Amino acid sequence: MTKHRVLLTAVLVVALAAGGAVGAQLNFGGDLKLHLFDMSTGSSTIMGWDSLGNPVPVKYDTTDRWDMGFERAYLYFVVQITDQASVDIEPEFVARSGATPQLGMRIGTQRASNESGLGVAFNAAKLTLAVPWNLQVSGGILRPLFTEDYGDMKAFQETNRYDKTGANYWLQAWHDMGIEVYKPFELKLGEEYVSIPTYLYLLNGAPNYIDIPASDNNSNKMVMLHVAPEFWKIRVMGSYGFGKWDDEGKYNVMRYAAGLSAAFGPVWLRAEYMGGRWDNEMWQQSGEPLVIDTFAAKPFGYYAKLGVNIVPDRLRFILDYDYAEHNFNGFLSIGNPAVKQQYTTVSGTLGWTVFTGSQVMLGVEKAMWKTSDGNTKLDFLRPTLGWRTVF
């Protein structure tokens, strides 16, 4: 955690408290999640060498050590300045433990390769105004509603799956600076009205929310639209964004998502499909002479969840299946486009509400991750015990 981020957070807290003291209405809250148990066991297949020095896939059966600690926390400061204006500041504290196994590494060794410690960022820092024509306009650091599982933080709220394979900035994840315009529409169908919440975004296109800059020099601009019409017991979600991904504004980027959710008594389901295209991505071929090649990065993924409220407001179970595929050998970075990475994960989570706002979650996930050439595989079972409290 850098000193300037600590100082910035402290200044914001004091400023918001002072704002409340001079007449504005201040609301404060938080969301804390701990993991009480986290351990992975399974097999890793990575490239090694035989007795003659030839490259061959080598399988290792390994078990990681048990982990317990802080996972993530959000603080919420909302100041209602007037009936039409409010400020929303949400500092985010993230643990960097390296607990999630990584494709291409033996289980357990990924901890040493990851930076441990605490990261500090802003989940949101925005000013919101209610303006004529039933519009709500927000500006600042945003968490756009690209997918509802990630943008609306439902995955964080429902399960221990903080390593969800689709939650990277190629697929679900999207934090950014920009402007959000929200307007609810209503469409009359016969005697019924269909509600259509609509969000329009003008965004900087920042690739990593931890490193969102204080300002931007007109690079990486994107426009994104999200709509979520609701009728009967069904919601349909859709998002589409386009713009430029490079600093010079030359290369196109396009992102899309579509989903469906429904609830029938104690049973609910939600599914979303997402993908994108980044033109002219570059990768460096190994060997001599040095060769830089370009290609279009076209990742895609999807998930499906089935939830059952076994005891209303007390006990629930969620079954989650998700798949992600990158048409290049890399998760966050760009590698050989001749080798794809494919991630299949199935998990189940049993959640018990200890008291209002506090839930213990027992989860088990089975991960089957691999490269398309079969030389790299990761197959592990991961039981987790998490505790989330909203205050």
Side-chain angles (χ1 to χ4, degrees), residues 131-181:
V131 299
W133 306 292
N134 199 23
L135 294 175
Q136 181 176 287
V137 180
S138 302
I141 298 176
L142 309 172
R143 190 183 182 109
L145 276 172
F146 179 63
T147 65
E148 298 210 347
D149 204 48
Y150 190 88
D152 210 22
M153 298 179 63
K154 291 181 178 178
F156 174 80
Q157 297 162 6
E158 294 167 350
T159 70
N160 293 330
R161 294 287 317 284
Y162 35 80
D163 67 309
K164 188 175 179 66
T165 50
N168 65 67
Y169 55 69
W170 296 107
L171 294 174
Q172 287 205 52
W174 200 333
H175 291 73
D176 221 328
M177 291 186 67
I179 297 172
E180 173 191 88
V181 180

Side-chain angles (χ1 to χ4, degrees), residues 43-48 55-60 103-105 329 336 338-342 369-378:
S43 64
S44 304
T45 301
I46 58 179
M47 290 302 293
V56 295
V58 180
K59 183 178 179 179
Y60 301 90
L103 188 63
M105 302 183 68
N329 191 11
N336 186 356
V339 179
K340 300 177 182 179
Q341 286 195 346
Q342 300 165 326
W369 304 347
K370 64 180 181 178
T371 55
S372 58
D373 59 7
N375 292 332
T376 306
K377 298 179 182 179
L378 182 57

Side-chain angles (χ1 to χ4, degrees), residues 90-375:
E90 300 177 15
E92 176 183 1
F93 303 86
V94 185
R96 296 172 177 169
S97 64
T100 302
Q102 290 187 3
L103 188 63
M105 302 183 68
R106 296 175 63 176
I107 295 174
T109 58
Q110 83 281 349
R111 290 181 184 271
S113 69
N114 280 268
E115 176 188 359
S116 297
L118 191 66
V120 181
F122 284 110
N123 190 45
K126 61 184 180 180
L127 170 65
T128 300
L129 299 175
V131 299
W133 306 292
N134 199 23
L135 294 175
Q136 181 176 287
V137 180
S138 302
I141 298 176
L142 309 172
R143 190 183 182 109
L145 276 172
F146 179 63
T147 65
E148 298 210 347
D149 204 48
Y150 190 88
D152 210 22
M153 298 179 63
K154 291 181 178 178
F156 174 80
Q157 297 162 6
E158 294 167 350
T159 70
N160 293 330
R161 294 287 317 284
Y162 35 80
D163 67 309
K164 188 175 179 66
T165 50
N168 65 67
Y169 55 69
W170 296 107
L171 294 174
Q172 287 205 52
W174 200 333
H175 291 73
D176 221 328
M177 291 186 67
I179 297 172
E180 173 191 88
V181 180
Y182 165 71
K183 181 176 177 62
F185 292 94
E186 283 196 349
L187 177 64
K188 187 175 182 180
L189 295 178
E191 299 299 322
E192 301 293 331
Y193 283 89
V194 176
S195 175
I196 310 177
T198 304
Y199 298 81
L200 178 65
Y201 296 91
L202 175 62
L203 302 165
N204 277 353
N208 187 341
Y209 80 98
I210 290 290
D211 299 317
I212 287 178
S215 61
D216 185 71
N217 61 352
N218 204 37
S219 65
N220 301 328
K221 290 293 184 284
M222 293 193 71
V223 176
M224 195 262 282
L225 177 69
H226 173 82
V227 294
E230 182 175 358
F231 53 94
W232 190 45
K233 300 179 179 181
I234 297 175
R235 296 182 69 246
V236 179
M237 299 89 76
S239 300
Y240 181 80
F242 64 93
K244 305 290 183 180
W245 68 262
D246 64 307
D247 290 338
E248 297 180 2
K250 292 182 179 179
Y251 306 126
N252 295 327
V253 56
M254 177 270 293
R255 300 181 65 178
Y256 59 88
L260 177 73
S261 68
F264 304 95
V267 179
W268 60 266
L269 60 89
R270 187 173 71 253
E272 291 185 279
Y273 183 99
M274 70 293 300
R277 178 187 174 103
W278 283 255
D279 289 340
N280 214 74
E281 285 285 357
M282 294 179 287
W283 73 286
Q284 178 180 319
Q285 299 184 25
S286 59
E288 297 290 342
L290 178 64
V291 177
I292 303 295
D293 201 1
T294 62
F295 73 106
K298 295 184 288 186
F300 72 91
Y302 52 87
Y303 76 87
K305 286 185 181 180
L306 176 65
V308 181
N309 296 313
I310 302 172
V311 180
D313 301 322
R314 182 62 62 179
L315 186 66
R316 71 182 184 191
F317 176 76
I318 298 174
L319 180 64
D320 184 2
Y321 175 92
D322 70 79
Y323 178 81
E325 180 174 311
H326 297 171
N327 68 324
F328 49 88
N329 191 11
F331 187 68
L332 297 179
S333 59
I334 290 289
N336 186 356
V339 179
K340 300 177 182 179
Q341 286 195 346
Q342 300 165 326
Y343 300 85
T344 301
T345 312
V346 182
S347 68
T349 304
L350 187 65
W352 174 53
T353 300
V354 183
F355 56 86
T356 301
S358 185
Q359 187 175 75
V360 173
M361 292 179 282
L362 175 63
V364 178
E365 67 179 86
K366 175 67 173 177
M368 296 153 284
W369 304 347
K370 64 180 181 178
T371 55
S372 58
D373 59 7
N375 292 332

Side-chain angles (χ1 to χ4, degrees), residues 52-71:
L52 300 177
N54 299 314
V56 295
V58 180
K59 183 178 179 179
Y60 301 90
D61 292 315
T62 49
T63 298
D64 195 8
R65 59 186 181 273
W66 167 43
D67 181 54
M68 174 182 178
F70 166 80
E71 196 260 302

